[in-house]
Amino acid sequence: MRPARFTVVTAAAAVAALTAVTGCAEKSAGGAEGTVQVAASDSACGVSKTEFPAGKVTIEVDNKGSKVTEVYVLFPDDRIVAERENIGPGTKATITAEIKAGDYVVNCKPGMKGDGIRQKVKATGGASAKRSPELDAAVAEYRKYVLAQADESLPAVKTFTDAVRAGDVEAAKQAFAPSRRGWERTEPVAESFGDIDPKTDVREDGLEPGQNWTGWHRLEKALWADNKIGDEEKALASQLDTDIAEWHKRVGTAEITPTSMANGAKELLDEVARNKVTGEEDRYSHTDLADFKANVEGADKVYELLKPVAAKNDPQLGKTLDTQFAALDTLLDKHRADKNGYDFTSYDKVGDAERKELSDAVNALAEPLSKLAAAVAK
C-alpha cells in the first residue's frame, strides 16, 4: 500500500500542529536523541521533534485513535524511507530506520486510506556511520535479488498480457499468478516508488476518489467474475506492460538499507496477514496462496541475508526466526497441489480452521520478525 499525494504543509503550520498535538515545544520533547515519538490519532500526527540527528533513528508510534493506522517516513517526492502499516487502535509500534541528512515527511494515515496527515521533519548532521562489511554485502546481494525478480517478471507478465490481448481467457487465467510472483517477493521495494503500486496492484475497494482502476486485479475481475475479455481489457493489458516496464526501469535506483530490508520483510508478513489470509487479495481467482508463498519467500530472503549480523547481535532472535519460518513453510506445503511448484489449492477451498492455522503461523513469525531491524542496527 502506498502513500497518496498530499498538499505540502508549511513549516509554521507543522510547528503549530505539533504544539497543538503534543502539548509541548519541540525542544522539551522526551526520548533519546535518535528517537522520534509519533502520536497518531484519527485527526492528528504529532511528532516529538521536527529535527533529529541523521543515522539510525528509532520511531516510536502510539496510535491513540479509534482507527487502524499506518505511518510513513517519506522523501519529499513521496518515495518511502520507512513504514509500518496495520497499527491497531490503542497499540504501539517501533520502526528502526537508517535516515540520511535531509528533509523528510512523517505521514500518518488513519484508516489506512486517503491523504493522511503530514509533518515535515529534518535529519541533520553529516554522513551516517559506516556500516559493517557484512551489512554492505547483504544490501548488495538484496539489490541483485530485487533486480533478478524484476528481470524475471517482464516475460512472465508478457505471457499473461499476451493471452489477454489474444482474448484467450483460459490461458490468461493460467498465467495470472505466475506473472505476480516477482512483484510479490519484492513488494516493499516496488511500493517505495509511490506511484507504481496504485497502477498495478490496487483492488477495487482500495481506489482513491477519481482513480481509474487498472492493473492485475482489474483484469482478474474480468477473467474470473465476468469471464470475458473486451477491448478495454486488452488496452489494460498493454497498460500493465508499460507500468511493469517502468517498475523494472526504476527498481535499480531504489534506496535500500539493512533496516529498510528488515522493515520490508515485516511488511510482507503484514501484507499476508491483512490480505492473503483473509482471501481479499485475489478475491476472484482465489490464487491467494501463490501470492502468500511469494511474500514469505521474499521475507525469508531478507532474513537469510541479514541473519549473520542479526544472529550475532541477538542469538535467540535468530533461533526463533529459523523455527517460525520453517513452521510456516511446512504449513504452506500442505496446500500445494504439487510438491515443488506454485500450484496451490484454490483459496475458496481452504476452510476456516485451516485459515486460522495459517493466520496463527503468520502472526507467530511476524512478531519476532518485527525485531529484525533493531537487531541489525545494534
Side-chain angles (χ1 to χ4, degrees), residues 155-180 215-224 227-230 233-234 237 240 284-285 287:
V157 170
K158 191 171 186 302
T159 298
F160 171 60
T161 56
D162 280 349
V164 174
R165 282 186 289 268
D168 191 334
V169 172
E170 289 307 313
K173 285 181 176 181
Q174 289 297 316
F176 174 74
S179 76
R180 294 173 50 75
W216 273 299
H217 296 300
R218 168 64 179 81
L219 293 169
E220 178 197 8
K221 183 176 186 292
L223 293 169
W224 274 274
N227 200 39
K228 71 175 183 65
I229 296 173
E233 286 74 31
K234 292 176 182 179
L240 181 60
Y284 308 108
S285 64
T287 56

Side-chain angles (χ1 to χ4, degrees), residues 261-333:
M261 290 166 59
N263 289 327
K266 173 61 166 60
E267 289 304 321
L268 284 171
L269 266 292
D270 288 346
E271 176 79 9
V272 170
R274 186 170 57 251
N275 298 323
K276 274 68 171 186
V277 169
T278 61
E280 294 177 41
E281 180 77 5
D282 299 315
R283 61 190 64 172
Y284 308 108
S285 64
H286 305 299
T287 56
D288 304 84
L289 287 173
D291 283 359
F292 188 142
K293 178 62 175 177
N295 285 156
V296 173
E297 286 178 334
D300 195 19
K301 179 66 175 181
V302 168
Y303 171 56
E304 288 301 319
L305 291 173
L306 296 177
K307 182 178 176 179
V309 173
K312 180 171 64 176
N313 291 341
D314 190 339
Q316 185 55 53
L317 178 64
K319 292 176 184 177
T320 301
L321 287 172
D322 285 342
T323 299
Q324 298 302 337
F325 267 115
L328 184 52
D329 281 336
T330 298
L331 193 56
L332 277 170
D333 284 344

Side-chain angles (χ1 to χ4, degrees), residues 8-313:
V8 174
V9 180
T10 65
V15 173
L18 169 65
T19 302
V21 172
T22 62
C24 61
E26 176 189 342
K27 64 182 179 181
S28 64
E33 188 180 19
T35 299
V36 179
Q37 281 125 15
V38 176
S41 71
D42 296 346
S43 59
C45 184
V47 295
S48 63
K49 57 186 77 172
T50 55
E51 290 193 9
F52 49 84
K56 293 173 183 175
V57 179
T58 300
I59 301 161
E60 297 178 347
V61 181
D62 186 359
N63 183 5
K64 300 176 179 292
S66 63
K67 301 175 182 177
V68 176
T69 196
E70 55 195 22
V71 174
Y72 296 88
V73 180
L74 304 172
F75 288 106
D77 63 0
D78 282 357
R79 285 178 298 127
I80 298 171
V81 181
E83 64 180 308
R84 181 58 53 83
E85 299 179 357
N86 209 34
I87 306 170
T91 65
K92 299 179 180 181
T94 299
I95 309 168
T96 303
E98 292 179 48
I99 300 180
K100 297 177 182 178
D103 295 323
Y104 298 91
V105 171
V106 174
N107 173 235
C108 305
K109 294 183 70 176
M112 302 202 303
K113 291 188 71 173
D115 289 349
I117 306 157
R118 289 191 138 200
Q119 299 290 1
K120 294 172 73 173
V121 297
K122 180 187 288 290
T124 60
S128 302
K130 188 175 181 180
R131 287 196 296 259
S132 70
E134 293 90 347
L135 290 178
D136 280 339
V139 168
E141 284 302 312
Y142 187 62
R143 190 176 296 279
K144 289 179 185 177
Y145 175 76
V146 170
L147 288 167
Q149 294 305 308
D151 285 343
E152 292 171 16
S153 293
L154 286 180
V157 170
K158 191 171 186 302
T159 298
F160 171 60
T161 56
D162 280 349
V164 174
R165 282 186 289 268
D168 191 334
V169 172
E170 289 307 313
K173 285 181 176 181
Q174 289 297 316
F176 174 74
S179 76
R180 294 173 50 75
R181 196 172 301 152
W183 176 278
E184 292 292 333
R185 285 171 175 160
T186 60
E187 193 165 6
V189 176
E191 288 182 342
S192 71
F193 298 110
D195 60 333
I196 297 178
D197 181 76
K199 296 177 184 177
T200 59
D201 201 30
V202 71
R203 300 185 307 277
E204 189 171 15
D205 55 339
L207 294 170
E208 299 290 350
Q211 180 184 349
N212 292 326
W213 190 17
T214 59
W216 273 299
H217 296 300
R218 168 64 179 81
L219 293 169
E220 178 197 8
K221 183 176 186 292
L223 293 169
W224 274 274
D226 305 330
N227 200 39
K228 71 175 183 65
I229 296 173
D231 290 342
E232 181 182 358
E233 286 74 31
K234 292 176 182 179
L236 287 169
S238 295
Q239 182 62 49
L240 181 60
D241 281 336
T242 299
D243 293 332
I244 292 300
E246 180 65 18
W247 164 53
H248 180 268
K249 176 182 174 182
R250 290 200 222 172
V251 75
T253 68
E255 184 84 11
I256 297 175
T257 67
T259 54
S260 75
M261 290 166 59
N263 289 327
K266 173 61 166 60
E267 289 304 321
L268 284 171
L269 266 292
D270 288 346
E271 176 79 9
V272 170
R274 186 170 57 251
N275 298 323
K276 274 68 171 186
V277 169
T278 61
E280 294 177 41
E281 180 77 5
D282 299 315
R283 61 190 64 172
Y284 308 108
S285 64
H286 305 299
T287 56
D288 304 84
L289 287 173
D291 283 359
F292 188 142
K293 178 62 175 177
N295 285 156
V296 173
E297 286 178 334
D300 195 19
K301 179 66 175 181
V302 168
Y303 171 56
E304 288 301 319
L305 291 173
L306 296 177
K307 182 178 176 179
V309 173
K312 180 171 64 176
N313 291 341

